[in-house]
């Protein structure tokens, strides 16, 4: 469905991604993990067209999408959330989500209806008339998801949507992510909270310092000594 | 009560339906040309500021080159009339179309620039047009300007007395306001807000921010030029410093900012406040203290920006929002 071939990206002379190749299978939740600076968000930027000066190819449903603009990639069916949430601060949540819906719909009325359905789905319906700037962290994350969903993505990339949430918010978010996956959307999730990612994903891809380290089921990955080393350092190799 | 306020907030057109009704009826009871002139100038400058607001207010791309677009409109219809005998009714459409094309060109070149860099680039563009108008005297009449025919003739958009200008000015303002309001409620309007609020997020949601802005720029330029044509027809004399000077852009910005930038009616509120002040001061002081109105402009601007950073309408809207949501 989504295939990355030999992605390489430099910031100045600094190689931040090298030789990244993997593919996503449809309808599954894939986790993307790695220590800080591993290149996870950069990889999201490459896939969604925010970085263009990279080598390698990104193929989506048989089409090469490398070099396309984010708005065109969105139209093809790939959307993402941002780690640092970017709500449209001075308009209501309904209007925020409507903008996503308008990528597929022509009429304002239809977009409003769809936006309200999605706000209901993510649990923000009651707050639909609040301005984007007046949200808590958890709600901002949900709004990011709602807006993305409104574009009817086939693949949805979630960038740390669980960072900074408390226990109950975390539970709610896990349920939401499962519901999204159940609706048939393929998910690629960046997350730092290991337990959560192990619980949610069917497959985990590990990056370390811009390189592909390993991939496999959550169990395989957690037992891999290379992964433990990458996260904890050499001394804990035998921990 | 809460419901009532919510209704007022949602039907924010009501005060402006009242405004347009008043603007349509009041001039009938005014016989003094001096006051009628005030009405006409309010309508003209409100139209121009509204046109400016469509690009600068809706998208945050602050243009300081709109004086050039106003001038393109004024010169196009005037030159077409004087040299080729083409009626200004068509001339204003031709000028508008030309300005829209120029606006799109500015956009293609300058939209990659952000905030003050964009403002500076458009400012330079406005100056270029001003200098061209000064120096191509064969076509524009240069600093001596061009006088328009004053014999009343509907075909030449030249009327007997002030009242027909009042009403054509009012119709112009209504057209600009309706266009502005339709944009705001349309898909384009949502895309423009999305761009203004956060470009990356907008693009990720499928918004082609470049195309949306170019469309807004074309419409804004067209309306600015049409207003320029109408102004030329009313003043019956144009020269570079009356229709191309940078002060026109600054004035458009000032009216919109004080009235409520990015709102449909903000520019009208601004014009209703500022135009009468200017006229009154000019009448009272004559030429004894030239420029005093600018000092008063500045004072009002500072006070409004300190206490109502989103302008008068922006502040009113926030207030209603807060009450109705509590």
């Amino acid at each position: 469905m989504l295939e990355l071939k030999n992605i390489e990206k430099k910031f100045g002379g600094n190689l931040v991604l090298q030789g990244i190749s993997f593919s996503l299978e449809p309808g599954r939740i894939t986790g993307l993990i790695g220590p800080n600076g591993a290149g996870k968000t950069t990889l999201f930027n490459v896939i969604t067209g925010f970085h263009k000066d990279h080598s390698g190819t990104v193929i989506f449903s048989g089409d090469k999408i490398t070099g396309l603009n984010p708005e065109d990639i969105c139209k093809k069916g790939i959307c993402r959330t941002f780690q640092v949430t970017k709500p449209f601060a001075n308009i209501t949540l309904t209007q925020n989500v409507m903008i996503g819906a308008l990528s597929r719909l022509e009429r304002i009325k239809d977009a409003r209806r769809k936006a309200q359905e999605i706000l209901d789905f993510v649990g923000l319906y009651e707050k639909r008339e609040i301005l984007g700037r007046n949200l808590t962290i958890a709600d901002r994350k949900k709004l990011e998801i709602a807006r993305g969903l409104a574009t009817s993505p086939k693949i949805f990339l979630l960038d740390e949507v669980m960072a900074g949430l408390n226990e109950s918010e975390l539970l709610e978010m896990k349920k939401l992510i499962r519901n999204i996956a159940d609706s048939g959307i393929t998910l690629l999730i960046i997350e730092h909270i290991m337990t959560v990612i192990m619980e949610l994903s069917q497959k985990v891809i590990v990056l370390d310092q811009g390189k592909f380290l390993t991939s496999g089921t959550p169990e395989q990955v957690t037992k891999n000594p290379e992964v433990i080393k990458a996260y904890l350092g050499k001394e804990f190799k035998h921990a | 009560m809460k419901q009532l306020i919510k209704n007022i907030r949602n039907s924010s057109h009501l005060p402006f339906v009242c405004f347009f009704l008043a603007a349509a009826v009041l001039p009938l009871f005014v016989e003094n040309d001096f006051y009628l002139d005030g009405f006409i100038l309010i309508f003209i400058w409100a139209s121009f500021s509204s046109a400016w607001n469509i690009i600068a207010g809706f998208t945050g791309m602050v243009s300081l080159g709109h004086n050039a677009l106003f001038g393109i409109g004024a010169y196009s219809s005037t030159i077409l009339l004087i040299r080729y005998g083409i009626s200004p009714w068509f001339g204003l459409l031709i000028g508008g179309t030309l300005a829209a094309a120029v606006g799109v060109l500015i956009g293609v070149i300058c939209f990659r620039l952000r905030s003050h860099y964009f403002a500076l680039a458009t400012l330079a563009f406005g100056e270029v047009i001003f200098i061209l108008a000064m120096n191509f005297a064969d076509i524009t009449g240069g600093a001596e300007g061009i006088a328009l025919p004053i014999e009343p003739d509907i075909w030449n958009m030249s009327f007997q007395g002030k009242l027909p200008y009042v009403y054509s000015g009012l119709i112009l303002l209504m057209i600009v306001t309706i266009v502005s309001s339709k944009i705001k409620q349309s898909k384009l309007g949502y895309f423009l807000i999305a761009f203004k609020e956060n470009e990356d997020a907008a693009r990720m949601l499928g918004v082609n921010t470049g195309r949306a802005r170019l469309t807004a720029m074309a419409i804004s330029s067209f309306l600015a030029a049409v207003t320029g044509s109408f102004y030329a027809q009313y003043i019956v004399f144009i020269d570079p410093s009356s229709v191309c000077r940078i002060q026109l852009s600054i004035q458009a910005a000032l009216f919109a900012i004080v009235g409520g930038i990015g709102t449909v009616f903000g520019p009208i509120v601004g014009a209703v406040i500022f135009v009468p002040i200017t006229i009154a001061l000019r009448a009272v002081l004559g030429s004894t203290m030239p420029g005093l109105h600018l000092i008063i402009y500045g004072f009002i601007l500072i006070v409004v920006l300190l206490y109502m950073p989103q302008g008068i309408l922006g502040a009113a809207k926030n207030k209603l929002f807060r009450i109705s949501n509590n």
Side-chain angles (χ1 to χ4, degrees), chain B residues 10-184:
Chain B
N10 293 337
S11 68
S12 55
H13 290 26
L14 189 70
F16 296 94
V17 171
C18 298
F19 165 80
F20 278 113
L21 280 178
V25 175
L26 263 174
L28 292 174
F29 300 98
V30 178
E31 277 168 8
N32 188 331
D33 274 0
F34 177 77
Y35 293 112
L36 288 178
D37 179 63
F39 277 100
I40 298 167
L41 291 177
I42 287 176
F43 297 154
I44 288 174
W45 297 128
S47 300
F48 182 51
S49 182
S50 288
W52 177 86
N53 188 46
I54 289 174
I55 184 71
F58 290 0
T59 73
M61 305 291 289
V62 172
S63 159
L64 292 179
H66 263 55
N67 51 315
L69 301 165
F70 188 87
I72 286 173
Y75 274 108
S76 298
S77 62
T78 303
I79 292 169
L80 286 172
L81 173 64
I82 303 278
R83 288 182 189 258
Y84 304 101
I86 295 172
S87 161
W89 295 107
F90 297 112
L92 65 82
L93 296 178
I94 297 169
T97 311
L98 178 64
V102 171
V104 168
L105 187 69
I106 300 175
V108 169
I109 298 169
C110 302
F111 273 171
R112 71 196 68 184
L113 303 170
R114 286 291 171 271
S115 61
H116 40 289
Y117 296 104
F118 177 76
L120 277 178
T122 51
L123 179 94
F125 169 78
E127 282 302 288
V128 167
I129 296 287
F130 178 86
I131 292 164
L132 288 179
M134 273 294 190
N135 290 316
F136 280 85
D138 292 347
I139 306 169
T140 63
E144 287 170 27
I146 311 178
L148 283 85
I150 47 169
E151 310 82 52
D153 180 352
I154 301 265
W155 181 246
N156 283 350
M157 209 195 272
S158 180
F159 309 117
Q160 181 87 53
K162 299 261 181 204
L163 221 44
Y165 289 103
V166 172
Y167 285 105
S168 30
L170 181 60
I171 290 168
L172 173 66
L173 178 58
M174 284 172 79
I175 292 172
V176 177
T177 307
I178 289 168
V179 170
S180 175
S181 153
K182 288 283 172 208
I183 292 175
K184 189 102 188 170

Side-chain angles (χ1 to χ4, degrees), chain A residues 48 50 69-71 74-75 78-80 82 86 88-91 98-99 102-103 105-106 108 112 129 131 147 151, chain B residues 6 9 185-187 190-191 193-195 197-210 310 318 321 325:
Chain A
T48 52
F50 283 96
N69 290 318
E71 56 269 30
C74 167
K75 292 256 164 69
I78 302 179
C79 199
R80 71 175 288 186
F82 292 94
K86 301 178 190 293
F88 301 132
N90 296 305
I91 55 178
M98 278 171 75
I99 288 165
L102 284 168
S103 67
L105 300 171
E106 278 309 311
I108 298 293
R112 180 169 289 121
E129 291 302 312
L131 296 181
R147 282 194 318 197
T151 68
Chain B
K6 212 166 210 167
R9 195 187 88 203
Q185 292 159 20
S186 71
K187 193 167 168 166
Y190 278 90
F191 286 179
I193 292 179
F195 167 80
E197 292 284 326
N198 191 303
E199 186 178 10
D200 281 348
R203 297 183 73 190
M204 200 59 258
L205 297 176
V207 177
N208 187 330
T209 55
Q310 289 168 306
N318 281 347
F321 213 97
N325 271 350

